[in-house]
PDB file of all heavy atoms in Angstrom:
ATOM      1  N   TYR A 205    -108.154 -35.128  35.441  1.00 85.00           N
ATOM      2  CA  TYR A 205    -107.054 -34.249  35.842  1.00 85.00           C
ATOM      3  C   TYR A 205    -107.487 -32.788  35.824  1.00 85.00           C
ATOM      4  O   TYR A 205    -107.025 -31.986  36.616  1.00 85.00           O
ATOM      5  CB  TYR A 205    -105.857 -34.439  34.902  1.00 85.00           C
ATOM      6  CG  TYR A 205    -104.760 -35.273  35.517  1.00 85.00           C
ATOM      7  CD1 TYR A 205    -105.056 -36.510  36.080  1.00 85.00           C
ATOM      8  CD2 TYR A 205    -103.450 -34.832  35.545  1.00 85.00           C
ATOM      9  CE1 TYR A 205    -104.068 -37.276  36.650  1.00 85.00           C
ATOM     10  CE2 TYR A 205    -102.451 -35.595  36.123  1.00 85.00           C
ATOM     11  CZ  TYR A 205    -102.763 -36.815  36.670  1.00 85.00           C
ATOM     12  OH  TYR A 205    -101.786 -37.571  37.252  1.00 85.00           O
ATOM     13  N   LYS A 208    -108.855 -31.325  39.003  1.00 85.00           N
ATOM     14  CA  LYS A 208    -107.987 -31.128  40.173  1.00 85.00           C
ATOM     15  C   LYS A 208    -107.709 -29.648  40.371  1.00 85.00           C
ATOM     16  O   LYS A 208    -107.387 -28.934  39.418  1.00 85.00           O
ATOM     17  CB  LYS A 208    -106.656 -31.879  39.973  1.00 85.00           C
ATOM     18  CG  LYS A 208    -106.783 -33.395  39.999  1.00 85.00           C
ATOM     19  CD  LYS A 208    -105.423 -34.023  39.772  1.00 85.00           C
ATOM     20  CE  LYS A 208    -105.526 -35.538  39.715  1.00 85.00           C
ATOM     21  NZ  LYS A 208    -105.825 -36.129  41.016  1.00 85.00           N
ATOM     22  N   GLU A 209    -107.796 -29.229  41.618  1.00 84.00           N
ATOM     23  CA  GLU A 209    -107.561 -27.813  41.934  1.00 84.00           C
ATOM     24  C   GLU A 209    -106.175 -27.377  41.474  1.00 84.00           C
ATOM     25  O   GLU A 209    -105.986 -26.268  40.984  1.00 84.00           O
ATOM     26  CB  GLU A 209    -107.668 -27.597  43.446  1.00 84.00           C
ATOM     27  CG  GLU A 209    -109.038 -27.851  44.010  1.00 84.00           C
ATOM     28  CD  GLU A 209    -109.924 -26.631  43.933  1.00 84.00           C
ATOM     29  OE1 GLU A 209    -109.399 -25.525  43.939  1.00 84.00           O
ATOM     30  OE2 GLU A 209    -111.156 -26.807  43.868  1.00 84.00           O
ATOM     31  N   THR A 210    -105.206 -28.252  41.656  1.00 86.00           N
ATOM     32  CA  THR A 210    -103.833 -27.863  41.332  1.00 86.00           C
ATOM     33  C   THR A 210    -103.644 -27.694  39.827  1.00 86.00           C
ATOM     34  O   THR A 210    -102.821 -26.898  39.389  1.00 86.00           O
ATOM     35  CB  THR A 210    -102.842 -28.920  41.852  1.00 86.00           C
ATOM     36  OG1 THR A 210    -103.388 -30.217  41.615  1.00 86.00           O
ATOM     37  CG2 THR A 210    -102.593 -28.738  43.319  1.00 86.00           C
ATOM     38  N   VAL A 211    -104.390 -28.453  39.043  1.00 88.00           N
ATOM     39  CA  VAL A 211    -104.300 -28.291  37.586  1.00 88.00           C
ATOM     40  C   VAL A 211    -104.949 -26.964  37.189  1.00 88.00           C
ATOM     41  O   VAL A 211    -104.413 -26.196  36.376  1.00 88.00           O
ATOM     42  CB  VAL A 211    -104.956 -29.491  36.874  1.00 88.00           C
ATOM     43  CG1 VAL A 211    -105.020 -29.260  35.375  1.00 88.00           C
ATOM     44  CG2 VAL A 211    -104.183 -30.766  37.190  1.00 88.00           C
ATOM     45  N   GLN A 212    -106.099 -26.677  37.797  1.00 87.00           N
ATOM     46  CA  GLN A 212    -106.739 -25.384  37.503  1.00 87.00           C
ATOM     47  C   GLN A 212    -105.862 -24.229  37.963  1.00 87.00           C
ATOM     48  O   GLN A 212    -105.860 -23.152  37.371  1.00 87.00           O
ATOM     49  CB  GLN A 212    -108.099 -25.316  38.188  1.00 87.00           C
ATOM     50  CG  GLN A 212    -109.098 -26.312  37.631  1.00 87.00           C
ATOM     51  CD  GLN A 212    -110.253 -26.546  38.586  1.00 87.00           C
ATOM     52  OE1 GLN A 212    -110.739 -25.610  39.187  1.00 87.00           O
ATOM     53  NE2 GLN A 212    -110.669 -27.788  38.720  1.00 87.00           N
ATOM     54  N   ASN A 213    -105.084 -24.479  39.008  1.00 90.00           N
ATOM     55  CA  ASN A 213    -104.227 -23.410  39.523  1.00 90.00           C
ATOM     56  C   ASN A 213    -103.084 -23.067  38.568  1.00 90.00           C
ATOM     57  O   ASN A 213    -102.477 -22.006  38.698  1.00 90.00           O
ATOM     58  CB  ASN A 213    -103.666 -23.789  40.890  1.00 90.00           C
ATOM     59  CG  ASN A 213    -103.022 -22.624  41.583  1.00 90.00           C
ATOM     60  OD1 ASN A 213    -103.620 -21.556  41.674  1.00 90.00           O
ATOM     61  ND2 ASN A 213    -101.783 -22.784  42.028  1.00 90.00           N
ATOM     62  N   ILE A 214    -102.790 -23.953  37.621  1.00 93.00           N
ATOM     63  CA  ILE A 214    -101.741 -23.613  36.640  1.00 93.00           C
ATOM     64  C   ILE A 214    -102.115 -22.313  35.938  1.00 93.00           C
ATOM     65  O   ILE A 214    -101.283 -21.417  35.763  1.00 93.00           O
ATOM     66  CB  ILE A 214    -101.565 -24.750  35.609  1.00 93.00           C
ATOM     67  CG1 ILE A 214    -101.079 -26.030  36.296  1.00 93.00           C
ATOM     68  CG2 ILE A 214    -100.572 -24.335  34.517  1.00 93.00           C
ATOM     69  CD1 ILE A 214    -101.088 -27.252  35.389  1.00 93.00           C
ATOM     70  N   ILE A 238     -92.295 -32.594  32.536  1.00 97.00           N
ATOM     71  CA  ILE A 238     -93.605 -32.975  33.088  1.00 97.00           C
ATOM     72  C   ILE A 238     -93.524 -34.446  33.473  1.00 97.00           C
ATOM     73  O   ILE A 238     -93.219 -35.298  32.635  1.00 97.00           O
ATOM     74  CB  ILE A 238     -94.734 -32.735  32.070  1.00 97.00           C
ATOM     75  CG1 ILE A 238     -94.767 -31.249  31.671  1.00 97.00           C
ATOM     76  CG2 ILE A 238     -96.077 -33.170  32.648  1.00 97.00           C
ATOM     77  CD1 ILE A 238     -95.808 -30.906  30.621  1.00 97.00           C
ATOM     78  N   THR A 239     -93.771 -34.715  34.732  1.00 96.00           N
ATOM     79  CA  THR A 239     -93.621 -36.074  35.249  1.00 96.00           C
ATOM     80  C   THR A 239     -94.930 -36.549  35.857  1.00 96.00           C
ATOM     81  O   THR A 239     -95.542 -35.823  36.650  1.00 96.00           O
ATOM     82  CB  THR A 239     -92.533 -36.123  36.346  1.00 96.00           C
ATOM     83  OG1 THR A 239     -91.312 -35.637  35.801  1.00 96.00           O
ATOM     84  CG2 THR A 239     -92.345 -37.534  36.867  1.00 96.00           C
ATOM     85  N   VAL A 240     -95.343 -37.723  35.466  1.00 96.00           N
ATOM     86  CA  VAL A 240     -96.447 -38.394  36.159  1.00 96.00           C
ATOM     87  C   VAL A 240     -95.924 -39.770  36.557  1.00 96.00           C
ATOM     88  O   VAL A 240     -95.843 -40.677  35.717  1.00 96.00           O
ATOM     89  CB  VAL A 240     -97.703 -38.514  35.286  1.00 96.00           C
ATOM     90  CG1 VAL A 240     -98.805 -39.247  36.057  1.00 96.00           C
ATOM     91  CG2 VAL A 240     -98.198 -37.146  34.844  1.00 96.00           C
ATOM     92  N   LEU A 270    -101.818 -31.309  30.755  1.00 95.00           N
ATOM     93  CA  LEU A 270    -100.859 -30.557  31.573  1.00 95.00           C
ATOM     94  C   LEU A 270     -99.951 -29.723  30.686  1.00 95.00           C
ATOM     95  O   LEU A 270     -99.666 -28.551  30.980  1.00 95.00           O
ATOM     96  CB  LEU A 270    -100.021 -31.524  32.425  1.00 95.00           C
ATOM     97  CG  LEU A 270    -100.757 -32.305  33.510  1.00 95.00           C
ATOM     98  CD1 LEU A 270     -99.777 -33.191  34.285  1.00 95.00           C
ATOM     99  CD2 LEU A 270    -101.472 -31.376  34.470  1.00 95.00           C
ATOM    100  N   THR A 274     -99.746 -25.615  30.528  1.00 97.00           N
ATOM    101  CA  THR A 274     -98.458 -24.999  30.840  1.00 97.00           C
ATOM    102  C   THR A 274     -97.976 -24.099  29.705  1.00 97.00           C
ATOM    103  O   THR A 274     -97.374 -23.053  29.947  1.00 97.00           O
ATOM    104  CB  THR A 274     -97.402 -26.099  31.089  1.00 97.00           C
ATOM    105  OG1 THR A 274     -97.883 -26.959  32.115  1.00 97.00           O
ATOM    106  CG2 THR A 274     -96.068 -25.508  31.500  1.00 97.00           C
ATOM    107  N   ARG A 371     -94.863 -41.690  44.078  1.00 88.00           N
ATOM    108  CA  ARG A 371     -96.028 -41.153  43.374  1.00 88.00           C
ATOM    109  C   ARG A 371     -95.854 -39.633  43.307  1.00 88.00           C
ATOM    110  O   ARG A 371     -95.903 -38.940  44.323  1.00 88.00           O
ATOM    111  CB  ARG A 371     -97.296 -41.509  44.132  1.00 88.00           C
ATOM    112  CG  ARG A 371     -98.552 -40.889  43.576  1.00 88.00           C
ATOM    113  CD  ARG A 371     -99.761 -41.405  44.340  1.00 88.00           C
ATOM    114  NE  ARG A 371    -100.942 -40.644  43.995  1.00 88.00           N
ATOM    115  CZ  ARG A 371    -101.481 -39.698  44.773  1.00 88.00           C
ATOM    116  NH1 ARG A 371    -100.929 -39.400  45.942  1.00 88.00           N
ATOM    117  NH2 ARG A 371    -102.553 -39.043  44.392  1.00 88.00           N
ATOM    118  N   VAL A 372     -95.608 -39.153  42.114  1.00 91.00           N
ATOM    119  CA  VAL A 372     -95.366 -37.717  41.929  1.00 91.00           C
ATOM    120  C   VAL A 372     -95.969 -37.271  40.605  1.00 91.00           C
ATOM    121  O   VAL A 372     -95.755 -37.914  39.571  1.00 91.00           O
ATOM    122  CB  VAL A 372     -93.849 -37.401  41.850  1.00 91.00           C
ATOM    123  CG1 VAL A 372     -93.629 -35.903  41.659  1.00 91.00           C
ATOM    124  CG2 VAL A 372     -93.113 -37.885  43.072  1.00 91.00           C
ATOM    125  N   THR A 373     -96.726 -36.202  40.628  1.00 94.00           N
ATOM    126  CA  THR A 373     -97.110 -35.539  39.388  1.00 94.00           C
ATOM    127  C   THR A 373     -96.692 -34.088  39.520  1.00 94.00           C
ATOM    128  O   THR A 373     -97.110 -33.397  40.455  1.00 94.00           O
ATOM    129  CB  THR A 373     -98.628 -35.623  39.153  1.00 94.00           C
ATOM    130  OG1 THR A 373     -99.001 -36.995  39.054  1.00 94.00           O
ATOM    131  CG2 THR A 373     -99.015 -34.913  37.862  1.00 94.00           C
ATOM    132  N   GLU A 374     -95.851 -33.642  38.599  1.00 95.00           N
ATOM    133  CA  GLU A 374     -95.373 -32.267  38.698  1.00 95.00           C
ATOM    134  C   GLU A 374     -94.956 -31.726  37.342  1.00 95.00           C
ATOM    135  O   GLU A 374     -94.686 -32.482  36.395  1.00 95.00           O
ATOM    136  CB  GLU A 374     -94.201 -32.162  39.677  1.00 95.00           C
ATOM    137  CG  GLU A 374     -92.963 -32.887  39.191  1.00 95.00           C
ATOM    138  CD  GLU A 374     -91.678 -32.359  39.821  1.00 95.00           C
ATOM    139  OE1 GLU A 374     -91.655 -32.200  41.049  1.00 95.00           O
ATOM    140  OE2 GLU A 374     -90.711 -32.122  39.068  1.00 95.00           O
ATOM    141  N   ILE A 375     -94.946 -30.414  37.277  1.00 96.00           N
ATOM    142  CA  ILE A 375     -94.438 -29.715  36.101  1.00 96.00           C
ATOM    143  C   ILE A 375     -93.288 -28.850  36.589  1.00 96.00           C
ATOM    144  O   ILE A 375     -93.456 -28.075  37.539  1.00 96.00           O
ATOM    145  CB  ILE A 375     -95.528 -28.821  35.487  1.00 96.00           C
ATOM    146  CG1 ILE A 375     -96.721 -29.682  35.066  1.00 96.00           C
ATOM    147  CG2 ILE A 375     -94.982 -28.017  34.317  1.00 96.00           C
ATOM    148  CD1 ILE A 375     -98.012 -28.902  34.974  1.00 96.00           C
ATOM    149  N   ILE A 403     -91.531 -25.286  40.292  1.00 94.00           N
ATOM    150  CA  ILE A 403     -92.139 -26.619  40.272  1.00 94.00           C
ATOM    151  C   ILE A 403     -93.607 -26.497  40.673  1.00 94.00           C
ATOM    152  O   ILE A 403     -93.921 -26.020  41.770  1.00 94.00           O
ATOM    153  CB  ILE A 403     -91.414 -27.567  41.248  1.00 94.00           C
ATOM    154  CG1 ILE A 403     -89.923 -27.638  40.871  1.00 94.00           C
ATOM    155  CG2 ILE A 403     -92.040 -28.955  41.225  1.00 94.00           C
ATOM    156  CD1 ILE A 403     -89.020 -27.635  42.049  1.00 94.00           C
ATOM    157  N   LEU A 404     -94.471 -26.897  39.791  1.00 94.00           N
ATOM    158  CA  LEU A 404     -95.902 -26.936  40.099  1.00 94.00           C
ATOM    159  C   LEU A 404     -96.229 -28.381  40.470  1.00 94.00           C
ATOM    160  O   LEU A 404     -96.224 -29.259  39.611  1.00 94.00           O
ATOM    161  CB  LEU A 404     -96.726 -26.499  38.884  1.00 94.00           C
ATOM    162  CG  LEU A 404     -96.324 -25.171  38.231  1.00 94.00           C
ATOM    163  CD1 LEU A 404     -97.176 -24.909  36.989  1.00 94.00           C
ATOM    164  CD2 LEU A 404     -96.479 -24.027  39.203  1.00 94.00           C
ATOM    165  N   ARG A 405     -96.456 -28.610  41.747  1.00 91.00           N
ATOM    166  CA  ARG A 405     -96.718 -29.989  42.188  1.00 91.00           C
ATOM    167  C   ARG A 405     -98.214 -30.254  42.159  1.00 91.00           C
ATOM    168  O   ARG A 405     -98.991 -29.639  42.895  1.00 91.00           O
ATOM    169  CB  ARG A 405     -96.168 -30.210  43.603  1.00 91.00           C
ATOM    170  CG  ARG A 405     -94.665 -30.384  43.648  1.00 91.00           C
ATOM    171  CD  ARG A 405     -94.225 -30.852  45.030  1.00 91.00           C
ATOM    172  NE  ARG A 405     -94.761 -29.992  46.050  1.00 91.00           N
ATOM    173  CZ  ARG A 405     -94.218 -28.829  46.410  1.00 91.00           C
ATOM    174  NH1 ARG A 405     -93.112 -28.409  45.828  1.00 91.00           N
ATOM    175  NH2 ARG A 405     -94.767 -28.097  47.346  1.00 91.00           N
ATOM    176  N   ILE A 406     -98.596 -31.188  41.308  1.00 90.00           N
ATOM    177  CA  ILE A 406    -100.020 -31.509  41.147  1.00 90.00           C
ATOM    178  C   ILE A 406    -100.466 -32.465  42.238  1.00 90.00           C
ATOM    179  O   ILE A 406    -101.537 -32.330  42.799  1.00 90.00           O
ATOM    180  CB  ILE A 406    -100.274 -32.128  39.752  1.00 90.00           C
ATOM    181  CG1 ILE A 406     -99.674 -31.249  38.638  1.00 90.00           C
ATOM    182  CG2 ILE A 406    -101.754 -32.384  39.526  1.00 90.00           C
ATOM    183  CD1 ILE A 406    -100.245 -29.868  38.557  1.00 90.00           C
ATOM    184  N   GLN A 407     -99.647 -33.460  42.537  1.00 83.00           N
ATOM    185  CA  GLN A 407     -99.929 -34.387  43.630  1.00 83.00           C
ATOM    186  C   GLN A 407     -98.690 -35.215  43.928  1.00 83.00           C
ATOM    187  O   GLN A 407     -97.892 -35.421  43.008  1.00 83.00           O
ATOM    188  CB  GLN A 407    -101.110 -35.309  43.277  1.00 83.00           C
ATOM    189  CG  GLN A 407    -100.830 -36.195  42.072  1.00 83.00           C
ATOM    190  CD  GLN A 407    -102.025 -37.025  41.658  1.00 83.00           C
ATOM    191  OE1 GLN A 407    -103.151 -36.747  42.013  1.00 83.00           O
ATOM    192  NE2 GLN A 407    -101.771 -38.057  40.900  1.00 83.00           N
ATOM    193  N   PRO A 408     -98.464 -35.700  45.115  1.00 81.00           N
ATOM    194  CA  PRO A 408     -99.108 -35.237  46.353  1.00 81.00           C
ATOM    195  C   PRO A 408     -98.424 -33.936  46.798  1.00 81.00           C
ATOM    196  O   PRO A 408     -97.705 -33.342  45.997  1.00 81.00           O
ATOM    197  CB  PRO A 408     -98.807 -36.379  47.321  1.00 81.00           C
ATOM    198  CG  PRO A 408     -97.480 -36.905  46.868  1.00 81.00           C
ATOM    199  CD  PRO A 408     -97.445 -36.723  45.360  1.00 81.00           C
ATOM    200  N   ASP A 409     -98.593 -33.526  48.046  1.00 75.00           N
ATOM    201  CA  ASP A 409     -98.004 -32.272  48.543  1.00 75.00           C
ATOM    202  C   ASP A 409     -98.293 -31.134  47.586  1.00 75.00           C
ATOM    203  O   ASP A 409     -97.392 -30.391  47.167  1.00 75.00           O
ATOM    204  CB  ASP A 409     -96.480 -32.408  48.736  1.00 75.00           C
ATOM    205  CG  ASP A 409     -96.134 -33.365  49.850  1.00 75.00           C
ATOM    206  OD1 ASP A 409     -96.971 -33.530  50.754  1.00 75.00           O
ATOM    207  OD2 ASP A 409     -95.047 -33.960  49.795  1.00 75.00           O
ATOM    208  N   GLU A 410     -99.539 -30.978  47.218  1.00 82.00           N
ATOM    209  CA  GLU A 410     -99.928 -29.984  46.234  1.00 82.00           C
ATOM    210  C   GLU A 410     -99.382 -28.607  46.602  1.00 82.00           C
ATOM    211  O   GLU A 410     -99.544 -28.150  47.731  1.00 82.00           O
ATOM    212  CB  GLU A 410    -101.461 -29.907  46.150  1.00 82.00           C
ATOM    213  CG  GLU A 410    -102.118 -31.139  45.580  1.00 82.00           C
ATOM    214  CD  GLU A 410    -102.430 -32.204  46.613  1.00 82.00           C
ATOM    215  OE1 GLU A 410    -101.903 -32.097  47.752  1.00 82.00           O
ATOM    216  OE2 GLU A 410    -103.162 -33.155  46.296  1.00 82.00           O
ATOM    217  N   GLY A 411     -98.717 -28.002  45.631  1.00 86.00           N
ATOM    218  CA  GLY A 411     -98.161 -26.688  45.920  1.00 86.00           C
ATOM    219  C   GLY A 411     -97.224 -26.224  44.827  1.00 86.00           C
ATOM    220  O   GLY A 411     -97.200 -26.777  43.722  1.00 86.00           O
ATOM    221  N   ILE A 412     -96.464 -25.204  45.136  1.00 91.00           N
ATOM    222  CA  ILE A 412     -95.541 -24.614  44.172  1.00 91.00           C
ATOM    223  C   ILE A 412     -94.227 -24.339  44.899  1.00 91.00           C
ATOM    224  O   ILE A 412     -94.228 -23.848  46.032  1.00 91.00           O
ATOM    225  CB  ILE A 412     -96.121 -23.308  43.597  1.00 91.00           C
ATOM    226  CG1 ILE A 412     -97.377 -23.619  42.784  1.00 91.00           C
ATOM    227  CG2 ILE A 412     -95.093 -22.588  42.730  1.00 91.00           C
ATOM    228  CD1 ILE A 412     -98.202 -22.414  42.428  1.00 91.00           C
ATOM    229  N   TYR A 436    -100.391 -25.974  49.508  1.00 77.00           N
ATOM    230  CA  TYR A 436    -101.837 -25.758  49.665  1.00 77.00           C
ATOM    231  C   TYR A 436    -102.276 -26.078  51.078  1.00 77.00           C
ATOM    232  O   TYR A 436    -103.036 -25.348  51.700  1.00 77.00           O
ATOM    233  CB  TYR A 436    -102.605 -26.671  48.698  1.00 77.00           C
ATOM    234  CG  TYR A 436    -102.912 -26.024  47.393  1.00 77.00           C
ATOM    235  CD1 TYR A 436    -102.027 -26.136  46.338  1.00 77.00           C
ATOM    236  CD2 TYR A 436    -104.076 -25.300  47.207  1.00 77.00           C
ATOM    237  CE1 TYR A 436    -102.302 -25.532  45.127  1.00 77.00           C
ATOM    238  CE2 TYR A 436    -104.355 -24.699  46.001  1.00 77.00           C
ATOM    239  CZ  TYR A 436    -103.478 -24.820  44.957  1.00 77.00           C
ATOM    240  OH  TYR A 436    -103.742 -24.215  43.777  1.00 77.00           O
ATOM    241  N   PRO A 444    -108.106 -30.253  48.986  1.00 73.00           N
ATOM    242  CA  PRO A 444    -108.914 -29.888  47.829  1.00 73.00           C
ATOM    243  C   PRO A 444    -110.022 -30.902  47.601  1.00 73.00           C
ATOM    244  O   PRO A 444    -109.857 -32.089  47.902  1.00 73.00           O
ATOM    245  CB  PRO A 444    -107.907 -29.894  46.673  1.00 73.00           C
ATOM    246  CG  PRO A 444    -106.729 -30.641  47.162  1.00 73.00           C
ATOM    247  CD  PRO A 444    -106.728 -30.565  48.650  1.00 73.00           C
TER     248      PRO A 444
END
Side-chain angles (χ1 to χ4, degrees):
Chain A
Y205 257 51
K208 291 179 183 289
E209 295 273 333
T210 40
V211 173
Q212 294 161 41
N213 192 50
I214 296 171
I238 301 177
T239 303
V240 179
L270 294 181
T274 304
R371 174 175 169 257
V372 180
T373 299
E374 66 157 48
I375 300 157
I403 302 139
L404 309 177
R405 283 190 308 278
I406 309 299
Q407 62 184 18
D409 293 334
E410 292 88 347
I412 295 167
Y436 267 91

